[in-house]
């Protein structure tokens, strides 16, 4: 894991703890399915799968396949970078997950563009 990704993961896990969210990370993924997201986060607002990358980090084809398949199945799956931590996006997402709030938008896994959700 790249230093920036380890820093990001550490901060995300601290936020999960502060919001009392369950978070899972496979510590040794060498025998796991290729491309499976780095984190699975569970709270009253649902389940979130997250792939962590440095600012310059590239997703693999397998990672993109997993993110697309999860989103296609109606499960939230996002790509997070350090800029998302600094902008507050990660905090807002985890706060909403902890508070049973429906997300205001989702992020396209391939281009990180925010897509607003329709009002229910």
């Amino acid at each position: 894991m790249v230093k920036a990704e380890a820093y990001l993961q550490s901060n995300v896990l601290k936020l999960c703890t502060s919001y009392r969210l369950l978070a899972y990370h496979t510590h040794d993924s060498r025998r796991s399915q290729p491309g499976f997201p780095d984190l699975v986060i569970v709270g009253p607002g649902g389940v979130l799968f997250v792939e962590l990358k440095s600012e310059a980090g590239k997703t693999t084809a397998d990672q993109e396949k997993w993110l697309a398949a999860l989103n296609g199945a109606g499960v939230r799956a996002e790509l997070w970078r350090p800029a998302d931590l600094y902008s507050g996006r990660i905090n807002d997402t985890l706060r909403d997950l902890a508070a049973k709030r429906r997300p205001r938008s989702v992020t396209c896994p391939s281009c990180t563009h925010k897509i607003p959700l329709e009002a229910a």
Side-chain angles (χ1 to χ4, degrees):
M1 179 181 292
V2 184
K3 209 177 220 184
E5 288 179 29
Y7 174 80
L8 178 59
Q9 180 178 302
S10 173
N11 280 277
V12 169
L13 292 175
K14 286 176 187 173
L15 283 169
C16 288
T17 299
S18 72
Y19 283 119
R20 296 186 173 143
L21 297 168
L22 293 175
Y24 174 78
H25 169 72
T26 301
H27 293 282
D28 184 358
S29 61
R30 289 177 291 182
R31 294 184 184 195
S32 297
Q33 183 75 22
F36 191 79
D38 294 314
L39 298 173
V40 180
I41 304 169
V42 180
V47 177
L48 173 65
F49 291 80
V50 179
E51 181 61 40
L52 302 172
K53 289 290 177 197
S54 65
E55 290 303 332
K58 304 284 185 201
T59 54
T60 66
D62 287 327
Q63 289 168 334
E64 290 179 19
K65 187 187 318 181
W66 269 105
L67 294 173
L70 289 163
N71 281 307
V75 178
R76 289 175 62 195
E78 299 185 5
L79 171 63
W80 287 351
R81 299 181 185 276
D84 298 316
L85 181 66
Y86 305 133
S87 72
R89 175 178 163 235
I90 292 173
N91 185 67
D92 292 347
T93 300
L94 295 177
R95 183 188 60 229
D96 290 350
L97 190 62
K100 296 185 185 179
R101 291 188 195 138
R102 186 171 179 266
R104 294 177 285 272
S105 64
V106 294
T107 303
C108 174
S110 60
C111 68
T112 68
H113 179 261
K114 288 190 120 186
I115 304 165
L117 293 174
E118 301 286 328

